[in-house]
Amino acid sequence: PFTPSAQIAFQEIYNAKQQRRWDVVLDMIRKWQEYLPLVTLSFLRGSTWADAGKYEIASAFYAKAAEIDPKGNYPALYLDALNKSNPAKAKVEADRVVKSPTKYSAPTVIQAAHVIAASARPLPANEARTIESSLIPVVEEAMKALERDKKQESESYLVAAILLGSAYEHKGDTQSAYEYYSRGLSADPKNDALLILRGMLMYGVNPEAIADLELAVKLGSQTVWPYFFLAHHYLGRDRFDDCRKFCERALDLPASNAMHSELLDWLAIAEAQLNFPVERVRRLFEDAIRLDPHNERAKKNLATFKGLTGHPQSKKPVLDRRTESSLRAFGMAEYDLEKMRLPQMSLSA
């Protein structure tokens, strides 16, 4: 029986997990293992190894829990850990789940769809989109099941909203994509990934897109996207100092050479308008071209700037900028959903 001493011990296990003292956690689980069912022990061990970043070991324990209780959320946790340690095997398991979705919990089906969608991204675009589209009805049913369940797993719901929004966006159905991103934000209004995805989707189309991107920044987003889009927005509104600040923040974040080249081009334009030293502005244009030799806009702007240098100017230089629709298309082609900060699968058992 679960005695008061055991209850205290398991509180100590929880405290040790919070302190990331993995050896203590595992020793205590072994000591008190007779007081819990095997499925719960397997979950505890799996979650401990997962928290420690040892996903291959975690997947073994989660697999045992999933075997004992296949209709619960343990299979979702198993798929998540397996995908981080053996993506090929995870894809096989995920395919099996998606082929018989009624045998599994909604979070498991959604996690399986996430694994399959992630595995499709390296494929040619048309193949990846076909696979992504095939997942739509399965994920929609799972999302409806979560909405009917009063104990809704919010992490799974957010992953479903992102998967469906992205799938519809790639199909060219902007309205449906917007709807799913918005449903996700209704569940979690401060979700970084959803704010950015909806903001990017509607950039240049709906003025509220800027509010989404600005909120993502206010909440401390650590991805380049909101800073990238807002830098362009401020440049287009002649808010050159704001553009300069957001370009600099974006340049400190991981991104492709093409994106960093765009940012350097905008930074050069902003600093030219703010009367920064000619040598500094010219160097920024040159750096943009060096990063991406195919950036024709930066080449044109450098040539224009050189032609103006040394001549009395009655007005600021007019330099070429991307349109909002052009930037939205460029951004959508560049971003990799897997690099967005997706909700982590921290499901209840």
Side-chain angles (χ1 to χ4, degrees):
F2 200 68
T3 64
S5 296
Q7 188 171 352
I8 293 170
F10 281 100
Q11 181 59 49
E12 291 175 357
I13 290 173
Y14 173 79
N15 293 339
K17 284 187 75 172
Q18 295 296 103
Q19 296 164 12
R20 304 181 67 81
R21 296 165 63 201
W22 313 124
D23 54 340
V24 173
V25 174
L26 293 168
D27 283 343
M28 291 186 70
I29 290 173
R30 292 187 195 101
K31 180 179 178 181
W32 295 94
Q33 62 184 343
E34 299 300 328
Y35 289 83
L36 287 175
L38 180 58
V39 66
T40 307
L41 282 171
S42 298
F43 166 72
L44 271 177
R45 288 182 169 123
S47 63
T48 300
W49 286 107
D51 289 344
K54 305 293 185 180
Y55 296 108
E56 184 177 4
I57 303 172
S59 67
F61 286 109
Y62 282 146
K64 185 63 177 178
E67 178 188 329
I68 297 169
D69 183 10
K71 286 191 172 290
N73 291 336
Y74 298 118
L77 296 167
Y78 169 56
L79 281 171
D80 181 48
L82 191 62
N83 195 43
K84 291 170 180 172
S85 59
N86 189 338
K89 186 176 179 181
K91 168 66 165 53
V92 172
E93 294 291 322
D95 283 334
R96 186 166 55 82
V97 170
V98 167
K99 286 176 182 176
S100 304
T102 57
K103 294 182 179 179
Y104 299 93
S105 69
T108 298
V109 173
I110 291 166
Q111 181 61 19
H114 170 58
V115 169
I116 294 168
S119 71
R121 289 190 189 103
L123 298 174
N126 60 331
E127 292 182 40
R129 301 298 179 249
T130 299
I131 292 170
E132 197 176 40
S133 293
S134 72
L135 295 170
I136 288 176
V138 177
V139 179
E140 284 182 329
E141 282 303 312
M143 195 172 186
K144 289 175 185 176
L146 286 178
E147 289 172 338
R148 292 192 296 268
D149 186 356
K150 293 181 180 179
K151 296 179 181 178
Q152 181 190 105
E153 293 287 355
S154 60
E155 293 86 357
S156 297
Y157 192 81
L158 298 178
V159 171
I162 290 172
L163 285 171
L164 290 169
S166 179
Y168 276 114
E169 176 190 319
H170 292 148
K171 282 169 64 73
D173 188 344
T174 301
Q175 184 57 45
S176 293
Y178 178 84
E179 173 66 23
Y180 277 109
Y181 290 150
S182 298
R183 283 165 69 175
L185 284 166
S186 295
D188 183 2
K190 295 183 178 181
N191 185 270
D192 181 58
L194 284 162
L195 284 168
I196 293 168
L197 287 166
R198 191 173 73 173
M200 290 168 58
L201 176 73
M202 303 308 293
Y203 184 73
V205 177
N206 185 334
E208 291 303 311
I210 302 305
D212 283 342
L213 296 167
E214 287 178 335
L215 180 55
V217 168
K218 184 178 179 181
L219 294 171
S221 175
Q222 294 302 304
T223 65
V224 70
W225 301 104
Y227 306 97
F228 178 75
F229 274 82
L230 287 172
H232 180 267
H233 170 73
Y234 295 140
L235 181 66
R237 300 301 183 277
D238 293 343
R239 292 170 57 178
F240 300 116
D241 196 48
D242 287 330
C243 172
R244 181 181 64 83
K245 291 174 183 176
F246 274 77
C247 283
E248 290 176 346
R249 291 176 74 176
L251 285 165
D252 285 336
L253 294 167
S256 68
N257 284 348
M259 284 184 67
H260 277 167
S261 176
E262 291 282 337
L263 288 161
L264 287 167
D265 182 41
W266 303 342
L267 181 59
I269 294 171
E271 293 196 357
Q273 297 288 347
L274 293 168
N275 294 320
F276 274 66
V278 169
E279 296 78 10
R280 175 183 168 91
V281 174
R282 183 185 295 117
R283 180 56 185 261
L284 288 171
F285 281 129
E286 291 171 349
D287 287 345
I289 297 164
R290 193 175 298 113
L291 265 184
D292 181 9
H294 301 292
N295 190 339
E296 297 301 326
R297 189 174 285 99
K299 292 177 184 178
K300 179 181 176 182
N301 284 336
L302 175 59
T304 301
F305 185 74
K306 283 180 176 178
L308 293 170
T309 302
H311 296 281
Q313 296 179 31
S314 58
K315 61 181 181 178
K316 299 288 184 183
V318 178
L319 300 171
D320 194 16
R321 313 171 189 179
R322 276 190 182 273
T323 63
E324 290 176 329
S325 59
S326 169
L327 186 76
R328 186 174 64 254
F330 172 82
M332 291 302 183
E334 281 283 316
Y335 90 82
D336 178 353
L337 186 60
E338 193 64 20
K339 291 180 182 177
M340 302 293 289
R341 191 162 58 83
L342 285 171
Q344 297 300 305
M345 299 300 285
S346 55
L347 306 175
S348 61

